[in-house]
Amino acid sequence: MLQHPEVKGPGIGLLGFSKGGDLCLSMASFLKGVTATVLINACVANTLIPLHYKEMTLLNIGHDLERLKITESGLVDLVDIWNNPLEKLNCQSLIPIEKAQGPFLFIVGQDDHNWKSESYAYIASERLQSHGKEKPQIICYPNTGHCIDPPYFPPCLMSVHRMVGQEVFWGGESKAHFMAQVDIWEQIQTFFQKYLKGKDSTFHNKL
């Protein structure tokens, strides 16, 4: 990617959502050339399956489907099934983000019903600062759920989840979620322009 002709800055930026968020956290922690990272409703620990890199293995945080809840509408609510990454049995799933070189932007939907994204963002902030790293930027959006798409996409408040094979409630209120998607796009553009823009590069927002 660093050799791509469209990459004008000193490094590349990463943008990850949900499971893609913890993958981006791992990439920023272990790979060189990552200048800035944006996480949308991401977990601070490795999720679902173990992650292997060279001789290192990050365990997955683990979950218990016995803690699964069903809403009044018959939808699955997953928010409480995930284990606490700060507990001793789960700490080997925590991503060592203090090894990252670039800044972070955490975007949080405060009505995320997939997992506790706001809590994870502040765990990441405390971990970075405890290692003498820069405090990450955290932007929280009330009444906004898990599935945050680009602006003008219809809000996805529920859909079928492959892991459980049922309709899952992702959270959010339609209008607030829609407006958040518009603002989040601008926040991402601003963040990447600040940290990725090379001398000869230009950003064109066509949305």
Side-chain angles (χ1 to χ4, degrees), residues 74-144:
L75 302 173
V76 174
D77 187 331
L78 299 173
V79 72
D80 291 324
I81 72 170
W82 308 101
N83 295 337
N84 183 349
L86 296 182
E87 291 181 353
K88 187 175 181 179
L89 292 175
N90 307 312
C91 63
Q92 288 185 307
S93 67
L94 280 169
I95 300 166
I97 57 176
E98 66 276 3
K99 295 183 178 181
Q101 300 302 309
F104 292 100
L105 166 60
F106 286 86
I107 291 172
V108 172
Q110 290 183 306
D111 193 37
D112 185 351
H113 279 256
N114 184 69
W115 46 41
K116 300 175 182 179
S117 298
E118 184 173 8
S119 175
Y120 296 154
Y122 285 104
I123 290 173
S125 179
E126 292 177 8
R127 183 176 180 114
L128 286 167
Q129 292 180 81
S130 70
H131 286 82
K133 295 287 185 173
E134 179 183 351
K135 182 179 180 181
Q137 184 179 359
I138 300 174
I139 307 177
C140 298
Y141 292 87
N143 302 316
T144 301

Side-chain angles (χ1 to χ4, degrees), residues 33-203:
V34 178
T35 305
T37 307
V38 176
L39 298 316
I40 301 175
N41 286 334
C43 184
V44 73
N46 182 55
T47 62
L48 300 180
I49 59 174
L51 177 69
H52 305 281
Y53 177 68
K54 295 184 177 179
E55 297 181 355
M56 180 278 306
T57 296
L58 276 180
L59 301 180
N60 57 303
I61 189 175
H63 61 275
D64 182 358
L65 292 179
E66 293 294 324
R67 297 195 293 263
L68 182 149
K69 295 183 293 186
I70 304 296
T71 70
E72 293 182 359
S73 301
L75 302 173
V76 174
D77 187 331
L78 299 173
V79 72
D80 291 324
I81 72 170
W82 308 101
N83 295 337
N84 183 349
L86 296 182
E87 291 181 353
K88 187 175 181 179
L89 292 175
N90 307 312
C91 63
Q92 288 185 307
S93 67
L94 280 169
I95 300 166
I97 57 176
E98 66 276 3
K99 295 183 178 181
Q101 300 302 309
F104 292 100
L105 166 60
F106 286 86
I107 291 172
V108 172
Q110 290 183 306
D111 193 37
D112 185 351
H113 279 256
N114 184 69
W115 46 41
K116 300 175 182 179
S117 298
E118 184 173 8
S119 175
Y120 296 154
Y122 285 104
I123 290 173
S125 179
E126 292 177 8
R127 183 176 180 114
L128 286 167
Q129 292 180 81
S130 70
H131 286 82
K133 295 287 185 173
E134 179 183 351
K135 182 179 180 181
Q137 184 179 359
I138 300 174
I139 307 177
C140 298
Y141 292 87
N143 302 316
T144 301
H146 183 68
C147 295
I148 299 175
D149 291 312
Y152 314 119
F153 276 59
C156 178
L157 309 185
M158 63 191 76
S159 68
V160 175
H161 194 300
R162 290 179 60 190
M163 187 180 78
V164 296
Q166 299 181 56
E167 290 185 335
V168 168
F169 177 58
W170 299 116
E173 184 274 322
S174 294
K175 183 177 180 180
H177 194 102
F178 178 87
M179 298 302 295
Q181 289 180 170
V182 175
D183 187 71
I184 286 165
W185 180 257
E186 297 298 329
Q187 297 288 352
I188 292 171
Q189 295 288 308
T190 299
F191 181 79
F192 279 147
Q193 286 187 43
K194 179 178 180 180
Y195 293 107
L196 295 180
K197 194 171 184 180
K199 293 181 180 180
D200 302 321
S201 66
T202 57
F203 278 68

